[in-house]
Amino acid sequence: MKKTIKNLAVVALVAFTSFAFANNDVEKKEVKVESSSVVWKGYKVTGSHEGTIALQSGTLSFDGDKLVGGEFVIDMSTINTTDLDGEMKGNLDGHLKSDDFFGTEKYPTAKLVFTKVKASGKNSYAVTADLTIKGKTHPVNFDISIYGSKATASLKVDRTKYDVRYGSTSFFDDLKDKAIYDEFDLVTDLQF
């Protein structure tokens, strides 16, 4: 019995040591937030609007040269439009920060955490991640491409999953030309 317990202890120690050393190969690379960008584009029946949102922080995790993870915090208080000027820009920027949309006073950040990364080509990966907006978390899928110390990704987000319902025909009737489509695009250019 003592020999069996001793053998199990040795096996557990070897497994733990192997696991610990295997994880030491993963390197987290900080994303340079000042030279990276996140561009959003939202669509409505009568056109579209676009703008930017700043990253607060971000890391991409690599095992050698293979992407294995990532985590990002987005500063929602920086959401703004780039296709409008003057009063119209100020009005839309303020509306996006209001409770009708992202409620940035109560929810100042959004978060994206990679949960699954699978190589899909020489420099590309299929990613599943948990996206948290307004305290609600849902999975999103997207592709990311890595070239040296740069990465690019585009994803579609269904805003209604995050309780962003303003102007959505999924919740309101008779909006006609005031309707805003549920999905918006995020396009990221990252440097690390």
Side-chain angles (χ1 to χ4, degrees):
M1 180 72 160
K2 285 183 180 179
K3 189 174 184 179
T4 302
I5 291 173
K6 187 176 180 180
N7 286 342
L8 286 174
V10 168
V11 168
L13 181 61
V14 168
F16 175 76
T17 304
S18 298
F19 178 75
F21 282 115
N23 283 342
N24 284 342
D25 292 340
V26 174
E27 178 185 4
K28 285 188 176 184
K29 296 184 179 182
E30 293 286 327
V31 171
K32 298 175 183 171
V33 296
E34 66 283 347
S35 54
S36 297
S37 67
V38 179
V39 175
W40 63 267
K41 188 164 188 178
Y43 305 90
K44 56 185 182 174
V45 172
T46 58
S48 64
H49 288 293
E50 64 182 52
T52 60
I53 315 170
L55 284 174
Q56 184 173 308
S57 64
T59 59
L60 289 171
S61 299
F62 292 88
D63 186 351
D65 62 354
K66 182 180 175 187
L67 180 69
V68 295
E71 186 169 321
F72 299 87
V73 176
I74 299 116
D75 182 353
M76 295 303 294
S77 69
T78 66
I79 192 166
N80 74 92
T81 52
T82 55
D83 65 327
L84 296 173
D85 293 313
E87 186 178 339
M88 289 177 64
K89 173 182 172 46
N91 288 343
L92 184 52
D93 290 355
H95 199 193
L96 290 171
K97 293 174 185 176
S98 77
D99 290 340
D100 280 345
F101 283 93
F102 297 103
T104 61
E105 189 171 310
K106 185 174 180 183
Y107 303 102
T109 61
K111 191 170 188 179
L112 182 73
V113 179
F114 293 13
T115 57
K116 183 179 178 185
V117 180
K118 182 179 178 184
S120 58
K122 182 178 178 187
N123 297 314
S124 60
Y125 300 86
V127 174
T128 300
D130 284 338
L131 177 61
T132 303
I133 298 174
K134 292 181 79 172
K136 295 179 174 24
T137 303
H138 294 281
V140 291
N141 297 301
F142 58 93
D143 294 322
I144 187 169
S145 298
I146 309 284
Y147 299 97
S149 61
K150 294 182 180 182
T152 59
S154 297
L155 57 148
K156 286 200 173 293
V157 178
D158 181 348
R159 65 191 176 95
T160 62
K161 291 182 178 181
Y162 306 93
D163 201 27
V164 181
R165 298 178 176 189
Y166 184 86
S168 169
T169 57
S170 298
F171 297 95
F172 303 101
D173 295 327
D174 298 323
L175 292 171
K176 298 180 182 164
D177 65 350
K178 303 285 187 207
I180 302 169
Y181 297 119
D182 291 345
E183 288 189 328
F184 66 91
D185 295 329
L186 289 176
V187 178
T188 62
D189 285 305
L190 308 173
Q191 294 192 21
F192 53 91

